Amino acid sequence: MAASRDDISPPPIKRRKMSNNGPPARETSDVQLDHLSIYSWNVNGIEPLVQRPITSFFEPRGSIHGSNSSAPSTGLRDVLRRYSWPTLLFLQEVKIAPGNDSTMKAVEKAIQPDIDEPPGAPLYKAFCCLPKDNYNARGFGRKVYGVCSIIRQGFFDAHVERVREVDWDLEGRFLVCETKAIGSLPKLAIVNLYAVNGTDAPYKDPDTGKPFGTRHDRKLQVHKLLQAECQALLSKSFQIVLAGDFNVARAPIDGHPNLRTCPKQHCINRADFEARFIHRGTALGDDSEGAEKRGDGDDRDGGESLGMVDSFRHLHGDKAAYTYHPRGKGFGMSCDRVDMILTSASLRDHLAEAGIHETPADRGPSDHVPLYITLLSH
């Protein structure tokens, strides 16, 4: 059954201008790019988005947005179309087993234009980072974790220097897209991330398999490593965008009906995240006094906080909105905002939009919904 008009959140504003002579041929360059739209979505397994037919949740291709239909279709190409052809679509928890070439080929095929699309439909490239850890990523036939960055071909050709992994993670959790300066935007390092979920389960040495603390310990270690990665990028004149599932909700407003505080380790993880990435004169207000009272200021191992901007909070203040809606409960009954897009404070004036597509229809086969930002390049 198709979602009604009221059940589907609208896409952000669409600024891309068309030629006076009609749609251009398939794009090969975004030289006149005036904005970047960055989407992030924990899909909880990519296979439903690359296999057809499946029970779907989007409107049929070619329909007017918001119309009802009994035969909607979905897939990666439909997702890209639905959200007005974003510059970058970051997917987390894709659950592709290492060496699964058939699924990788299916991803490539699923983002290509359909034969019935009109000229001018954007082309895309896909990059995946999958687990290599033989001890911490073995469950479910190794179909765990993994991220995939889908990037517009024209943008990639004109503005992207490289897409790379990080050398301190083997679980398939990070992809860094490094760009040239774009208009008034400086060089960017746009990071697709799927942060560690802190639990009491053991974390094993990736080389020996010997237990080496817990997943909580690993989460804190990854916070430190990611902070250091960002600091190294800043030293090379990159500004940072972190987009993905952080597996942490920042404040009481980000958890419904309440914020998770038990066991206490979740509070420790949250304070560590805040201290390393958010506090110290951010766009949310200078919270250095509060950080000092909590003991999570600049004396924390790792150096001074990055002072990043939580894009959604910056533009929407105390509005309650959530990205994670677990299965088994009614939509909205228990939910958290654990997916975020953070930016360097210097990008604040470029931030035109930030939003969450918070409907059951937008969730689709996942237990998360997509979120996005728009950065102006002029």
Side-chain angles (χ1 to χ4, degrees):
M1 179 177 181
S4 70
R5 185 182 185 91
D6 294 334
D7 288 337
I8 300 179
S9 56
I13 59 173
K14 184 176 181 181
R15 296 190 182 87
R16 188 167 301 280
K17 299 179 180 179
M18 303 298 288
S19 165
N20 293 331
N21 297 322
R26 298 246 189 257
E27 68 171 9
T28 57
S29 176
D30 276 328
V31 174
Q32 302 302 319
L33 186 73
D34 61 355
H35 74 282
L36 278 69
S37 57
I38 303 171
Y39 267 75
S40 176
W41 187 19
N42 179 324
V43 294
N44 193 21
I46 201 170
E47 286 190 355
L49 296 172
V50 299
Q51 296 177 347
R52 297 172 184 260
I54 64 172
T55 301
S56 72
F57 54 98
F58 287 148
E59 299 164 340
R61 182 167 57 254
S63 67
I64 298 175
H65 183 76
S67 63
N68 293 319
S69 170
S70 60
S73 64
T74 187
L76 280 178
R77 191 71 184 177
D78 300 279
V79 174
L80 294 166
R81 179 185 300 105
R82 172 176 170 73
Y83 296 125
S84 301
W85 310 117
T87 315
L88 305 102
L89 171 63
F90 287 172
L91 307 178
Q92 300 89 41
E93 204 173 358
V94 294
K95 297 182 178 179
I96 302 174
N100 187 340
D101 293 337
S102 62
T103 299
M104 293 296 295
K105 290 178 181 177
V107 171
E108 290 285 351
K109 182 178 180 180
I111 62 175
Q112 301 308 316
D114 297 329
I115 58 174
D116 58 346
E117 285 185 11
L123 303 176
Y124 283 87
K125 293 176 67 72
F127 302 84
C128 288
C129 176
L130 305 179
K132 304 176 186 67
D133 193 314
N134 290 322
Y135 297 102
N136 296 293
R138 296 204 61 83
F140 306 100
R142 305 205 69 187
K143 295 172 69 172
V144 293
Y145 314 142
V147 297
C148 179
S149 297
I150 299 172
I151 305 174
R152 283 183 73 145
Q153 179 78 57
F155 174 78
F156 179 86
D157 292 343
H159 302 294
V160 174
E161 293 281 10
R162 62 173 177 165
V163 177
R164 63 174 176 87
E165 302 179 9
V166 297
D167 59 10
W168 42 265
D169 180 79
L170 299 176
E171 295 187 3
R173 293 182 176 275
F174 297 89
L175 270 178
V176 184
C177 175
E178 297 179 1
T179 79
K180 305 172 186 176
I182 307 165
S184 63
L185 283 171
K187 295 192 303 180
L188 298 176
I190 312 171
V191 183
N192 181 1
L193 67 92
Y194 177 43
V196 175
N197 185 24
T199 71
D200 290 325
Y203 176 74
K204 300 176 181 179
D205 185 293
D207 296 320
T208 67
K210 182 179 179 179
F212 190 70
T214 69
R215 300 294 291 179
H216 284 301
D217 297 322
R218 178 58 179 170
K219 182 174 184 65
L220 294 175
Q221 184 184 35
V222 168
H223 283 175
K224 180 179 178 180
L225 291 165
L226 178 59
Q227 180 189 26
E229 183 80 28
C230 291
Q231 289 167 335
L233 286 163
L234 289 167
S235 72
K236 298 175 183 177
S237 300
F238 286 96
Q239 297 303 303
I240 314 297
V241 177
L242 302 179
D245 181 355
F246 287 83
N247 266 310
V248 62
R250 291 191 56 204
I253 195 173
D254 298 313
H256 175 78
N258 46 55
L259 186 68
R260 187 175 184 182
T261 57
C262 185
K264 185 179 179 180
Q265 185 64 46
H266 290 294
C267 299
I268 296 173
N269 297 347
R270 181 179 300 116
D272 186 76
F273 169 81
E274 289 288 311
R276 293 188 185 280
F277 297 99
I278 302 294
H279 287 309
R280 302 290 298 177
T282 73
L284 297 175
D286 188 344
D287 194 29
S288 55
E289 180 180 355
E292 182 178 353
K293 290 178 180 178
R294 288 186 296 274
D296 55 3
D298 291 350
D299 58 345
R300 180 176 296 271
D301 183 20
E304 185 174 357
S305 170
L306 294 171
M308 301 189 78
V309 174
D310 179 341
S311 59
F312 184 84
R313 280 281 161 258
H314 174 59
L315 292 183
H316 298 285
D318 59 357
K319 177 181 178 181
Y322 310 99
T323 62
Y324 171 63
H325 298 261
R327 298 293 184 181
K329 296 184 178 180
F331 189 86
M333 291 182 62
S334 175
C335 41
D336 300 278
R337 190 176 70 98
V338 296
D339 305 84
M340 291 174 274
I341 303 179
L342 309 182
T343 75
S344 294
S346 64
L347 298 177
R348 186 183 311 149
D349 292 341
H350 295 274
L351 186 60
E353 296 176 311
I356 299 170
H357 290 294
E358 192 185 3
T359 74
D362 290 292
R363 174 171 67 168
S366 179
D367 48 5
H368 294 246
V369 295
L371 64 156
Y372 66 90
I373 66 168
T374 300
L375 291 174
L376 299 181
S377 58
H378 57 75

